[in-house]
């Protein structure tokens, strides 16, 4: 079972990292358009639509990845003080009551929405239209990956309720935690304070 959970984590990670390239594409596109508009005096009507579609794809594609890394923002300030079993129970109820119906509805409606867009070969409403229907298929794709990752999280909740501890998940790059970084390099606050005192003394001596 654990191998299945980690396999889904890896799939969500791969999907998220694939869509993350949209951020680079957005950066290059906007930079080029600013140069073209203000230096070459050649603006392009389709660039704004492309920016919106790329940002939407990035946002939708990162949903399952963020869920796999347990990175979604929690609004409940009390959650962190709960025991793992209590956390898992709360999560399980919320997944069943809110998450599953919402994601299933989004996936189903998104598939119909994308299919209708494909049927008419929908384009953007601009002087230089772009094909819109390929990007609308991102909605059901994001829904399927989110739904699959959500099922994995539900299984994790059940395991935590039974065992009293959260099961492991696929690791990835995390933000640098200053305290953890100090532990890794074996540096204490006292060492930093002593070094600061030496620097201050040297500066005073030079003055």
């Amino acid at each position: 079972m654990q191998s299945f959970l980690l396999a889904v984590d890896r799939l969500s990670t791969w999907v998220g990292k694939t869509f993350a390239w949209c951020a680079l594409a957005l950066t290059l596109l906007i930079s080029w358009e600013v140069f073209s508009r203000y230096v070459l005096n050649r603006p392009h009507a389709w660039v704004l639509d492309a920016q919106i579609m790329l940002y939407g794809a990035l946002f939708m594609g990162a949903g399952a990845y963020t869920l796999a890394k347990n990175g979604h923002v929690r609004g409940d300030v009390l959650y962190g003080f709960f025991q793992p079993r209590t956390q898992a129970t709360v999560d399980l109820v919320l997944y069943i009551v809110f998450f599953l119906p919402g994601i299933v509805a989004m996936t189903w409606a998104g598939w119909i929405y994308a299919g209708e867009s494909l049927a008419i070969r929908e384009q953007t409403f601009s002087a230089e239209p772009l094909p819109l229907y390929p990007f609308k298929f991102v909605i059901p794709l994001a829904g399927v990956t989110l739904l699959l990752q959500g099922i994995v999280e539900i299984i994790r909740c059940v395991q935590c309720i039974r065992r009293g501890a959260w099961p492991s998940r696929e690791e990835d790059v995390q933000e640098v935690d200053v305290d953890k970084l100090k532990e890794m390099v074996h540096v204490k606050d006292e060492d930093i304070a002593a070094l600061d005192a030496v620097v201050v003394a040297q500066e005073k001596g030079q003055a």
Side-chain angles (χ1 to χ4, degrees), residues 23-24 30 33 43 52 58-62 65 90 113-114 122 134 136 148 165 170 197 201-202:
L24 177 61
I30 294 172
E33 176 62 12
I52 294 172
L58 174 63
F59 179 82
M60 297 292 291
Y65 170 86
V90 172
Y113 189 50
E122 186 178 8
K136 288 194 173 181
L148 184 59
E170 184 76 7
Q202 289 178 346

Side-chain angles (χ1 to χ4, degrees), residues 12-61:
S12 297
T13 299
W14 180 82
V15 172
K17 289 184 175 180
T18 300
F19 278 95
W21 287 100
C22 292
L24 177 61
L26 267 170
T27 303
L28 295 176
L29 178 63
I30 294 172
S31 300
W32 173 74
E33 176 62 12
V34 169
F35 176 80
S36 180
R37 177 183 295 267
Y38 294 104
V39 177
L40 305 179
N41 196 28
R42 292 183 58 187
H44 301 85
W46 57 269
V47 170
L48 178 61
D49 294 325
Q51 291 176 19
I52 294 172
M53 287 188 285
L54 283 172
Y55 177 76
L58 174 63
F59 179 82
M60 297 292 291

Side-chain angles (χ1 to χ4, degrees), residues 128-141:
E128 301 172 359
L130 294 176
L132 187 57
Y133 56 90
F135 287 91
K136 288 194 173 181
F137 278 96
V138 174
I139 300 173
L141 174 62

Side-chain angles (χ1 to χ4, degrees), residues 51-112:
Q51 291 176 19
I52 294 172
M53 287 188 285
L54 283 172
Y55 177 76
L58 174 63
F59 179 82
M60 297 292 291
Y65 170 86
T66 308
L67 184 59
K69 307 309 173 189
N70 198 25
H72 285 289
V73 176
R74 297 184 183 276
D76 189 351
V77 296
L78 300 177
Y79 181 89
F81 296 100
F82 294 159
Q83 294 297 320
R85 277 198 175 95
T86 306
Q87 292 178 341
T89 302
V90 172
D91 284 354
L92 183 60
V93 172
L94 294 178
Y95 274 122
I96 294 174
V97 175
F98 295 104
F99 179 87
L100 287 181
I103 298 301
V104 169
M106 184 189 79
T107 306
W108 179 259
W111 178 255
I112 297 175

